[in-house]
Amino acid sequence: METGSPGDAGTAGATEAARDEPVWTGLPPGLLRMRRLLLVVWLGLCTLAAGLLPGLFAGPVWAVFALLPLALMVWGWVMLERNWRSWRYAERADDLLISRGVLWREETVVPYGRMQLVEVTSGPVERHFGLASVQLHTAAAATDATIPGLDPAEAERLRDRLTELGEARSAGL
């Protein structure tokens, strides 16, 4: 005879489903700050050029062309945050999930046993903002994946863990 109410079976099923759900990790806000700064610098220069050059050579009315890059900067500011929020990754028992995209969601599954190389890269702008990227290489070029804008310590931890899991899984093949 079973002990427990009929509702307990539903609760147990929900608990199992919750355990199977990946634990997602988002990207740090430093990546958003870096991308927004680059947006403001480049489109700010375009705004100045689009306003000054026509304004000086063709008359002040033509300086209205500066509104186009300015509007693009405002739109880009919002879209960069939406894109940043869409990036996330999850470490599961047998693979790494990377999810990204606002309009077109893209989810990449990289099995640990298929990883050939895990790199941590950081360019000069990324280093200035204290960021690094993890690049995953597999035998199939289509499954190569990148996780941008991580804290360098987290990027190194992830690289070491993925390398360790990849070696363990490939040794079992």
Side-chain angles (χ1 to χ4, degrees):
M1 179 174 237
E2 287 185 41
T3 59
S5 66
D8 290 343
T11 306
T15 305
E16 279 184 36
R19 257 185 282 147
D20 292 340
E21 278 295 312
V23 178
W24 293 101
T25 304
L27 299 182
L31 179 65
L32 179 61
R33 283 193 299 272
M34 179 190 77
R35 288 181 174 173
R36 281 183 167 171
L37 176 69
L38 291 173
L39 174 81
V40 168
V41 167
W42 289 111
L43 285 179
L45 291 173
C46 288
T47 301
L48 284 173
L52 286 177
L53 294 177
L56 289 174
F57 295 116
V61 173
W62 292 95
V64 77
F65 281 116
L67 293 178
L68 183 61
L70 194 59
L72 191 58
M73 186 185 316
V74 171
W75 179 78
W77 187 272
V78 173
M79 295 314 297
L80 281 174
E81 183 170 356
R82 289 187 65 196
N83 181 271
W84 169 75
R85 287 188 187 282
S86 76
W87 276 87
R88 57 192 186 152
Y89 65 97
E91 300 172 62
R92 296 194 306 185
D94 296 321
D95 50 33
L96 177 74
L97 299 176
I98 302 171
S99 179
R100 64 195 167 281
V102 177
L103 293 176
W104 287 273
R105 297 285 302 158
E106 191 173 323
E107 192 166 293
T108 305
V109 179
V110 184
Y112 296 135
R114 301 290 180 179
M115 289 184 202
Q116 293 183 331
L117 175 67
V118 181
E119 290 181 299
V120 174
T121 60
S122 185
V125 176
E126 285 179 308
R127 279 194 308 275
H128 177 76
F129 282 89
L131 301 171
S133 297
V134 174
Q135 175 77 37
L136 309 164
H137 299 279
T138 63
T143 58
D144 287 359
T146 302
I147 304 173
L150 296 174
D151 178 66
E154 170 65 7
E156 290 177 15
R157 183 206 65 82
L158 191 58
R159 178 200 58 208
D160 294 343
R161 177 166 162 67
L162 295 176
T163 303
E164 178 183 314
L165 288 168
E167 289 173 355
R169 296 297 191 282
S170 66
L173 290 179

